[in-house]
Amino acid sequence: MITKEIAKMLIEQINLELHSAYIYLEFANYYESQNLPGFAHWYKVQAGEEYEHADRIRHFLIEAGETVTFSPIGDTVKGFKDAMGPLKEGLKHEQFITASINKIYEKAVSLKDHLSANFLQWFIKEQGEEETNAQNNIDKLEMVGLGGTALYLLDKEFARRED
Ligand code: FEO
């Protein structure tokens, strides 16, 4: 139903999505250590979303009759200077994921693997939202600064993220 080349790329993408969850949970660890539970919550929710992305691809491949197996997940980034560190890293990471999704999509189109190309369109839209969210978080923290009442209130805002 789908090409072997795209199936292989999608299995690698599952790994990247699970790696994203791992990276974002590491961000949550950092924010917990900085007494910013709202920021930690935001990234815990984001990690859950990444797990769902991985599972969406896994499900698609299995439905298409492919066999899925996993590889080791990569390391995380640690040792941030301040609360802005993970947010900047998060935007960079989402841009990397967008490039990866686009590459698979372009390959699927070139191979006339229409089923995979159609499936990937959901991810292209999702990546647009992911990059916007990551940029918005940076903009908000730049506006409020790295301390004081405004940061406390932004942490409360991040604590209200539901999905
Ligand atoms: Fe699944 Fe944040 O990209």
Side-chain angles (χ1 to χ4, degrees):
M1 260 202 288
I2 66 174
T3 59
K4 290 294 163 203
E5 205 166 347
I6 297 301
K8 184 169 174 287
M9 291 174 94
L10 285 172
I11 288 171
E12 286 165 7
Q13 188 66 31
I14 293 176
N15 188 280
L16 293 183
E17 299 293 342
L18 291 174
H19 187 213
S20 302
Y22 200 42
I23 287 170
Y24 293 150
L25 270 183
E26 189 77 276
F27 290 2
N29 291 340
Y30 170 75
Y31 286 125
E32 301 277 10
S33 78
Q34 300 299 302
N35 296 317
L36 289 167
F39 281 67
H41 170 80
W42 199 97
Y43 273 105
K44 273 188 284 181
V45 173
Q46 186 60 37
E49 204 170 275
E50 300 302 347
Y51 172 81
E52 283 172 18
H53 294 168
D55 199 45
R56 181 181 279 258
I57 301 170
R58 196 183 72 86
H59 185 256
F60 172 74
L61 288 166
I62 288 167
E63 287 286 296
E66 298 296 325
T67 300
V68 177
T69 58
F70 293 153
S71 309
I73 295 174
D75 203 354
T76 59
V77 182
K78 303 170 189 69
F80 300 108
K81 186 163 65 65
D82 54 43
M84 185 62 91
L87 301 188
K88 291 260 171 85
E89 192 61 40
L91 176 60
K92 207 168 77 183
H93 185 70
E94 287 303 331
Q95 289 166 340
F96 165 73
I97 295 294
T98 298
S100 177
I101 292 285
N102 287 347
K103 195 169 142 200
I104 307 171
Y105 176 77
E106 285 158 18
K107 190 76 187 171
V109 169
S110 78
L111 294 173
K112 298 190 179 5
D113 184 339
H114 300 299
L115 190 60
S116 296
N118 180 62
F119 169 74
L120 283 159
Q121 280 177 4
W122 183 90
F123 279 88
I124 291 168
K125 181 168 174 283
E126 177 72 6
Q127 280 312 120
E129 290 170 14
E130 297 275 80
E131 286 193 36
T132 299
N133 290 342
Q135 184 64 57
N136 284 346
N137 288 351
I138 291 170
D139 294 345
K140 284 176 185 173
L141 188 58
E142 266 173 1
M143 205 183 304
V144 307
L146 292 170
T149 312
L151 180 62
Y152 176 79
L153 292 174
L154 181 58
D155 191 61
K156 292 281 176 216
E157 181 192 316
F158 282 168
R160 288 194 291 273
R161 178 175 181 184
E162 288 177 359
D163 54 23

